[in-house]
Amino acid sequence: MESITAIEAYGVRKYLRVWSALSSVFDHEYLFWTLVGLLLVLTLSSPERVPQYPALVDWPTIAALLGLLIVTKGIEVSGALHGLAHRVLAHLRSQRVLALFLVGSAALLATVLTNDIALFVIVPLTIALQRLTDAPIPQLVIFETLAVNVGSALTPIGNPQNLFLWQLSHTSFLHFLTGMAPLVSVLGSLLLLWVVVVFSPTPITVRSPDIPPPVNIRLLLLSLALYGPFVVSIEWHQPLLGAAVVLLCYLLSFPAVVRQIDWVLLLVFILMFLDLRLVANLAIIQTGMQHIGLTVPTRLFLVGVVASQLISNVTAAILLAHYSPDWLLIAYAVAVGGFGFVAGSLANLIALRLAQDPRLWLRFHGYSVPFLLLSGMLVYGWLR
């Protein structure tokens, strides 16, 4: 009996250790638990759809995210960003100039490397500045998030919804770009003005000039060598193969990097695909879309903006394309809809997760919601 009791006690202790570890990982993961709760409600209402769940997840997107998380974590762990942060501060010595540089860089990168990749480059660099200066890092991350949503709207490869609408419209790259240029000009001007207002010309105070940690050259070279080919694999629609190669290379060379990536973010993305696509396919949603009258441009725009707040601009673009052939107006609507609530754009989620600051979620909405209202009113007045 004593041996059985000892075994049971060991099992309880092991269970508690596992539960403690899981609790520490998912502690304060409010969005994760919200998505889990929503999925539970949707599953109980339609249990017959459970076998279809795997097909609802965009696995190529998950694979692309996994590869990017690993490669960018490798660059971060190598120590290269900390050294780069020193060089940036050596030339940009006021808060406003630093903000204009980082926000402009984020927008520019998003036009050619997609909004997600731009964030994976800019946000870790910004976070690395935290130890060196008194610059308002949280505000910088928020405005970088707004910037990638603006910049990525310009080109058909800037974000997933543009890529979808570009393929759907069968138009040329140049035609798509020229169609989006007026909107991006408006949004970009508004963002630039807001940066100048929010960030003061106050000189940056650089803290004790600590010596940058030594750079892990092998890790940095591996990360840089894999970065370009992996992006190409995404462009060639082979993210699953690319992610598998990246994962294998790091597991063989630097397994600690793989352990440090944000695995919860991957789970959140999977849950978002499940929840948002289940909601988008509800009969009441589809019936409502048919009765709104989406042939009226202003209605289509408003529905796109509101739908983006609820189910993200990627899902909103896919949904609206079923009811309207006006791909350009849909692109306008979901571009503006990427601002506002965090669910408006998956880029918002990525940026806030990369920042790893729970307090930033509320502050983000303090800037993003007003930007949505301002840009929405400007575009709505333009369409009228």
Side-chain angles (χ1 to χ4, degrees):
M1 293 293 293
E2 292 181 359
S3 61
I4 295 177
T5 303
I7 292 174
E8 290 176 343
Y10 172 77
V12 171
R13 288 196 299 270
K14 185 176 181 180
Y15 170 80
L16 290 175
R17 284 197 298 270
V18 172
W19 176 253
S20 177
L22 289 175
S23 298
S24 64
V25 171
F26 292 102
D27 191 24
H28 303 301
E29 297 291 348
Y30 304 116
L31 178 59
F32 172 82
W33 292 116
T34 300
L35 293 171
V36 169
L38 178 57
L39 181 61
L40 180 60
V41 171
L42 294 170
T43 300
L44 291 176
S45 62
S46 301
E48 70 280 357
R49 297 205 61 183
V50 172
Q52 304 172 14
Y53 282 8
L56 296 177
V57 179
D58 192 331
W59 294 111
T61 298
I62 298 299
L65 179 59
L66 172 61
L68 290 171
L69 282 172
I70 296 174
V71 174
T72 53
K73 176 60 71 172
I75 296 174
E76 177 188 345
V77 173
S78 73
L81 291 177
H82 190 66
L84 182 59
H86 276 265
R87 294 182 176 87
V88 169
L89 288 177
H91 297 89
L92 308 174
R93 302 307 295 268
S94 80
Q95 293 184 7
R96 182 177 292 165
V97 173
L98 178 64
L100 289 171
F101 172 77
L102 292 174
V103 170
S105 297
L108 182 61
L109 286 174
T111 64
V112 294
L113 295 179
T114 77
N115 52 5
D116 300 346
I117 296 178
L119 287 172
F120 281 119
V121 173
I122 294 295
V123 173
L125 170 62
T126 305
I127 299 301
L129 296 172
Q130 187 119 30
R131 292 181 293 179
L132 305 175
T133 177
D134 60 348
I137 301 302
Q139 284 181 321
L140 286 172
V141 172
I142 292 171
F143 275 81
E144 288 162 3
T145 308
L146 299 178
V148 299
N149 284 321
V150 172
S152 66
L154 180 62
T155 65
I157 61 172
N159 53 52
Q161 63 270 22
N162 277 13
L163 183 61
F164 165 73
L165 293 170
W166 180 39
Q167 299 299 311
L168 184 70
S169 66
H170 302 291
T171 189
S172 67
F173 187 101
L174 182 60
H175 185 220
F176 191 102
L177 188 148
T178 54
M180 296 299 295
L183 173 69
V184 174
S185 298
V186 172
L187 297 179
S189 300
L190 181 60
L191 180 61
L192 178 64
L193 176 62
W194 208 359
V195 169
V196 173
V197 170
V198 171
F199 293 92
S200 69
T202 304
I204 296 173
T205 300
V206 180
R207 299 193 181 102
S208 57
D210 58 332
I211 301 175
V215 177
N216 187 329
I217 299 298
R218 284 185 60 243
L219 177 56
L220 177 61
L221 291 178
L222 174 66
S223 302
L224 294 177
L226 290 174
Y227 198 100
F230 181 67
V231 172
V232 172
S233 75
I234 300 175
E235 182 70 19
W236 290 353
H237 309 291
Q238 297 295 329
L240 293 169
L241 177 60
V245 172
V246 168
L247 180 60
L248 180 61
C249 289
Y250 279 88
L251 285 175
L252 293 176
S253 304
F254 299 96
V257 171
V258 178
R259 290 195 297 268
Q260 293 181 54
I261 71 170
D262 193 348
W263 291 101
V264 178
L265 178 61
L266 287 174
L267 293 177
V268 167
F269 262 73
I270 292 173
L271 288 168
M272 286 188 72
F273 277 120
L274 290 172
D275 288 346
L276 298 178
R277 287 182 170 175
L278 286 171
V279 170
N281 287 322
L282 291 175
I284 188 173
I285 299 295
Q286 296 188 352
T287 302
M289 287 293 185
Q290 294 173 348
H291 289 86
I292 288 176
L294 297 180
T295 55
V296 179
T298 51
R299 289 186 184 179
L300 178 60
F301 174 76
L302 290 176
V303 170
V305 172
V306 174
S308 296
Q309 302 304 297
L310 301 175
I311 59 175
S312 89
N313 51 10
V314 178
T315 312
I318 296 173
L319 179 64
L320 291 176
H322 289 290
Y323 304 101
S324 173
D326 194 342
W327 63 268
L328 184 59
L329 186 52
I330 294 174
Y332 274 38
V334 297
V336 174
F339 308 109
F341 294 117
V342 64
S345 170
L346 298 182
N348 300 339
L349 174 62
I350 289 176
L352 296 179
R353 294 288 307 183
L354 288 173
Q356 297 181 345
D357 183 357
R359 298 169 298 178
L360 197 60
W361 292 73
L362 183 60
R363 294 187 64 183
F364 169 81
H365 291 94
Y367 290 99
S368 186
V369 172
F371 194 85
L372 168 69
L373 296 176
L374 287 172
S375 58
M377 287 188 295
L378 285 174
V379 178
Y380 182 82
W382 176 16
L383 293 175
R384 288 176 64 88

